Amino acid sequence: INFKFLARRNTLLLGAVLIFFRFVMLATVVAIPSYLASVKGYLPLQTGPVLLEVALAQAVCGLLAVYLLKYVDARLIVTTGFTLVALACLMNATLSSAWSGSNFRPSQAVMAIGLALAFNGMVGAIILEVVNTGALNRPIDVLTFAGYFQTLRLLGGEAGVAFMQHFISAREQFHSNALGLGVQLGQPSTNQRLFALSVGMASRAPGLTTATERAAEILGLQVRQQAFTLAITDSFLLVAWSVVCCLVVVACMQRVPTQYQQVVSAPAGTA
């Protein structure tokens, strides 16, 4: 490992962009399935089609991003992609407990285009960095470069999943406590809600006491459902803010001398 080779501005910044990318992917990989499973009771086979739409759109948009690399600076493609990801997260931040899988389709379409542009633009920038550093003529630098980004890819994914799961759990507890303060016995709204639930359960319970107990359980489940929904909303806002931080990192990257248009138009012997 040639540590001095890694002490380059764009190399270090691209590593940070890779970590951010792995983190923002959690908006689809963790947040949406968690909501659909916990709030709507979706099974994995029901959640799969919601996420599959993103995968199919990414395949098409990925080809577009690769084509654009020949004419557009990779940094602009990355910026556009991450901006669309932030927009999709803000769309999902309007989430309510009434949402189902179909409600995520507009945001998932935007997310798919954003992830495709961000990923392919980022990979294109990494390849250009290898070309411009001259590492292709030095095997030790190629190994260093590959090991560096592979390590960050794995680290970003594992740390991101662990942090997101902890974040959602912590925010759910916070919202549950906050909502619980407004749901106290003796309050008119609480009593009215319990009475309505008790009436609804009266035909299914052997007695009034049992119906009241079941009504209290249902009310508690509804509070937890709303708390988890708010926690998922917070997770989308967190991802959106992380994208803003990533865009700042991209803005600090330097333009490399050799772009893809020059690489493609170069003679075969020179390339």
Side-chain angles (χ1 to χ4, degrees):
I1 299 178
N2 182 8
F3 289 103
K4 292 183 179 180
F5 176 73
L6 297 178
R8 296 175 53 88
R9 180 175 179 177
N10 277 12
T11 301
L12 295 175
L13 293 179
L14 281 172
V17 172
L18 177 58
I19 294 177
F20 276 115
F21 177 80
R22 292 285 292 171
F23 181 75
V24 300
M25 285 181 62
L26 300 176
T28 299
V29 177
V30 174
I32 294 178
S34 296
Y35 167 80
L36 293 176
S38 300
V39 178
K40 308 305 294 185
Y42 273 41
L43 299 174
L45 290 178
Q46 295 173 302
T47 305
V50 179
L51 304 181
L52 182 61
E53 295 176 359
V54 176
L56 295 177
Q58 283 180 350
V60 177
C61 296
L63 297 176
L64 174 62
V66 173
Y67 174 78
L68 291 176
L69 282 171
K70 182 179 178 181
Y71 305 99
V72 183
D73 193 317
R75 296 174 300 172
L76 296 179
I77 299 177
V78 173
T79 300
T80 303
F82 275 111
T83 301
L84 291 176
V85 170
L87 177 61
C89 290
L90 293 178
M91 293 171 63
N92 287 333
T94 61
L95 174 71
S96 71
S97 58
W99 278 34
S100 61
S102 60
N103 293 104
F104 287 100
R105 287 178 180 173
S107 62
Q108 287 292 83
V110 178
M111 178 75 72
I113 299 174
L115 289 177
L117 294 177
F119 174 76
N120 288 280
M122 177 184 63
V123 173
I126 292 175
I127 295 175
L128 283 179
E129 183 69 9
V130 177
V131 173
N132 281 272
T133 57
L136 296 177
N137 298 322
R138 301 186 298 272
I140 183 61
D141 290 340
V142 174
L143 291 175
T144 299
F145 205 81
Y148 169 70
F149 283 101
Q150 176 69 354
T151 301
L152 292 181
R153 185 185 71 84
L154 296 175
L155 178 63
E158 295 296 330
V161 170
F163 177 80
M164 182 61 76
Q165 290 177 342
H166 173 74
F167 177 82
I168 293 176
S169 178
R171 295 302 297 176
E172 180 186 8
Q173 294 178 4
F174 169 79
H175 289 298
S176 181
N177 292 332
L179 292 175
L181 295 176
V183 184
Q184 301 290 336
L185 291 176
Q187 294 182 350
S189 58
T190 303
N191 293 339
Q192 183 179 4
R193 184 66 174 175
L194 286 174
F195 177 76
L197 292 173
S198 299
V199 172
M201 296 300 299
S203 60
R204 305 178 183 179
L208 180 61
T209 302
T210 304
T212 303
E213 292 176 352
R214 292 182 179 177
E217 293 177 359
I218 294 175
L219 181 59
L221 290 175
Q222 291 176 341
V223 171
R224 285 194 292 271
Q225 183 186 66
Q226 295 300 322
F228 190 81
T229 301
L230 291 172
I232 295 296
T233 300
D234 290 343
S235 69
F236 283 117
L237 292 175
L238 173 65
V239 173
W241 277 109
S242 68
V243 170
V244 174
C245 296
C246 181
L247 292 177
V248 174
V249 173
V250 174
C252 295
M253 293 174 55
Q254 295 177 329
R255 176 183 172 85
V256 293
T258 304
Q259 296 290 320
Y260 276 103
Q261 188 171 10
Q262 299 168 336
V263 174
V264 173
S265 59
T270 305

